[in-house]
Amino acid sequence: MSAHDEQATASRRSILGGAVGAGALGLVGAGAAGLATAGPASAHGTITTYPGINGARTVYEVTGRLASWGYRPSFHTRLNTWLAFWNANTPSGMANASRVWGYGAHYDGRPTEAHNNGRGFDLSRIYTGSTRRFTARYDLWSTWSGSDLRTARRHYWATSASAHYHFRNVLTYLYNGDHHNHIHIDNLVSGTSNSSFDSSSRAQVLHVQACCRYVWGLPTSIDGVWGTQTSSHSRRVLRAAGVSTGGIGTQSRWLAFNRASMRKGYGTQRYPAA
């Protein structure tokens, strides 16, 4: 564990009973600009407790201890698929993820949220062995400098890309202050399928802009608004990734954008300049 990881891990959020508090979950509702919603659910169905994701044990960020959390089985299956994708698209010399840290999954506090339905997960870190490969703790690493900052930021957006590949709703630190210590992931809209892009989604546009800037080195403005610059820069990324025509409006090209951003961010594959 690095010196950075030894900093305090106390969450800014209210924590109840080992699960995330109601005030800071990834909200899914009519008031969440750019975040798609499946509507309130009257019951969350079967919740099954699992000790980990795709063979990696889960760890509660607040205590640093192993934790088992409840999920809808279909959502947990999607998380397994996501982490297998993360493993497959990190460098070949890197071991598979062994620990996934977070703030929990199922939480019955509010019936209109993904966490109530066991279909939301708040991700904070990923380790392979004792080596931290990813941290969502922007509240900590935003104060770092030099190569530590650059690496943390590249790995952050590369991991965000792996999540956006699989899930329609992914909220990062750019979305709002509630997400400065985790990335929220849910499948309320994408279900058992991979994600697709909607230019009206502020969360997705912020992700595209950040990948263009921090992973691909383009001078992309980050404002959450789809415009000519973001469209042009994301097309440049696709060309560098080998996609010869079109933008990220189709699902196949959106997935290609995210796969390439994940691989470039971790240095798995070399690409031409965007």
Side-chain angles (χ1 to χ4, degrees), residues 12-216:
R12 294 179 181 178
R13 302 173 301 159
S14 173
I15 305 296
L16 297 177
V20 273
L25 298 172
L27 300 183
V28 179
L35 180 62
T37 177
S42 59
H44 55 52
T46 300
I47 300 295
T48 302
T49 299
Y50 300 91
I53 298 169
N54 193 53
R57 291 297 307 273
T58 42
V59 178
Y60 187 35
E61 176 71 32
V62 174
T63 64
R65 297 176 180 174
L66 295 176
S68 297
W69 292 315
Y71 309 78
R72 288 284 290 275
S74 59
F75 176 61
H76 187 262
T77 297
R78 289 300 295 162
L79 289 172
N80 288 338
T81 301
W82 156 71
L83 193 58
F85 177 89
W86 187 93
N87 288 333
N89 288 283
T90 47
S92 58
M94 186 185 298
N96 286 346
S98 57
R99 295 286 187 270
V100 174
W101 291 47
Y103 290 97
H106 171 245
Y107 176 67
D108 267 328
R110 297 179 70 175
T112 59
E113 294 178 353
H115 291 277
N116 170 266
N117 290 278
R119 295 174 64 182
F121 182 75
D122 288 344
L123 172 68
S124 61
R125 312 189 206 190
I126 300 174
Y127 284 80
T128 63
S130 61
T131 303
R132 188 200 67 237
R133 303 296 185 177
F134 157 79
T135 173
R137 294 298 303 269
Y138 174 77
D139 57 331
L140 300 179
W141 63 254
S142 62
T143 64
W144 301 354
S145 61
S147 61
D148 285 345
L149 173 62
R150 291 190 295 272
T151 299
R153 190 162 53 200
R154 282 199 315 272
H155 289 185
Y156 182 98
W157 290 108
T159 300
S160 173
S162 75
H164 274 280
Y165 187 104
H166 293 87
F167 301 98
R168 171 63 175 79
N169 291 335
V170 179
L171 303 182
T172 64
Y173 71 82
L174 288 175
Y175 189 75
N176 61 25
D178 285 343
H179 297 88
H180 279 193
N181 60 3
H182 70 282
I183 292 179
H184 168 85
I185 299 165
D186 76 60
N187 75 334
L188 281 186
V189 174
S190 49
T192 58
S193 301
N194 288 329
S195 179
S196 58
F197 179 70
D198 182 347
S199 62
S200 69
S201 166
R202 178 171 168 266
Q204 288 185 318
V205 173
L206 286 168
H207 165 74
V208 170
Q209 292 170 336
C211 283
C212 288
R213 187 177 186 91
Y214 297 128
V215 174
W216 294 92

Side-chain angles (χ1 to χ4, degrees), residues 208 211-213 215-221 226-248 253 256-257 260-261 264 271-274:
V208 170
C211 283
C212 288
R213 187 177 186 91
V215 174
W216 294 92
L218 296 170
T220 312
S221 299
W226 185 257
T228 56
Q229 184 196 63
T230 306
S231 176
S232 172
H233 287 187
S234 61
R235 285 171 181 260
R236 287 171 61 177
V237 169
L238 286 176
R239 301 302 169 266
V243 179
S244 59
T245 61
I248 60 176
R253 292 195 288 267
F257 174 92
S261 295
K264 182 173 177 63
Y271 294 90

